Amino acid sequence: MREVLDELGVSPEALVQQHGADLDELGYCRFDEFIDARVTGEMIGAITRLLEGSRQGGTLHLKGLLDQGSLFDPLWLRPALLAAVTHLLGPDFQIREMHYRAGKPGHGSQALHMDASDRAGPGQWRVCTAIVALTDFTSANGATRVVPGSHLDQNFKPPHGHRPHRTKSC
């Protein structure tokens, strides 16, 4: 991965200060307007073709997008995104998989969960999940639930099922 980072000019300076602070404090940061509408449309078209004929339930799943050609490279070959991942994991990380997941209307919700259950402790990341929304998150279609700062709580336990997380009052 170091070669890819060097080729793209990824350095600590590629991560804006606010994104680094958000990653450290909240456990996530946002990159708005990540991919332009034309490329997004091409990706959605390709995903639709790849899903044709597959049997899907209430949530559409498509694995192996890294192996589907260069169309999906803009999802991960972004200096700012790679700088954020490097900030968390260091320069020797691996990109193991890229999946598409979309809940159909009335389906698809997940319980709040941790992507990595083998915790190393605050500031010692083992995994980084990047979510690239190909459509806007709205109140009508839902969004990803996060608990800001939970990455700093070694004893954090997500609530069972779909119940709201109890926040601590300051």
Side-chain angles (χ1 to χ4, degrees):
M1 184 53 71
R2 284 180 190 253
E3 292 170 3
V4 172
L5 297 175
D6 289 343
E7 186 177 318
L8 292 172
V10 175
S11 67
E13 294 78 34
L15 184 65
V16 298
Q17 187 174 6
Q18 186 60 53
H19 286 153
D22 287 348
L23 289 167
D24 293 341
E25 185 177 325
L26 302 173
Y28 67 92
C29 68
R30 289 177 44 156
F31 297 101
D32 295 324
E33 300 178 16
F34 195 68
I35 300 175
D36 71 48
R38 181 189 60 76
V39 173
T40 300
E42 291 173 7
M43 288 180 188
I44 291 172
I47 288 166
T48 301
R49 286 187 297 279
L50 291 167
L51 286 169
E52 282 177 2
S54 68
R55 298 192 63 177
Q56 301 279 327
T59 302
L60 302 174
H61 291 275
L62 185 59
K63 296 181 178 185
L65 292 181
L66 285 174
D67 301 324
Q68 294 299 323
S70 62
L71 175 61
F72 297 103
D73 285 352
L75 296 173
W76 70 277
L77 283 176
R78 294 291 227 229
L81 173 63
L82 293 170
V85 175
T86 302
H87 177 81
L88 298 173
L89 301 178
D92 294 320
F93 64 91
Q94 295 178 347
I95 298 180
R96 297 192 178 217
E97 52 193 36
M98 185 176 5
H99 302 293
Y100 172 81
R101 181 182 189 281
K104 293 179 182 177
H107 300 280
S109 65
Q110 288 186 344
L112 185 62
H113 66 280
M114 297 182 293
D115 284 341
S117 58
D118 60 334
R119 301 172 131 199
Q124 298 173 332
W125 300 78
R126 292 189 189 269
V127 66
C128 177
T129 300
I131 298 171
V132 180
L134 298 179
T135 60
D136 291 336
F137 284 145
T138 68
S139 58
N141 71 3
T144 297
R145 292 172 59 189
V146 297
V147 179
S150 59
H151 66 296
L152 300 173
D153 181 356
Q154 189 67 12
N155 298 312
F156 176 77
K157 298 217 181 319
H160 181 70
H162 290 82
R163 289 184 281 189
H165 172 68
R166 287 186 234 166
T167 57
K168 296 176 186 176
S169 56
C170 299

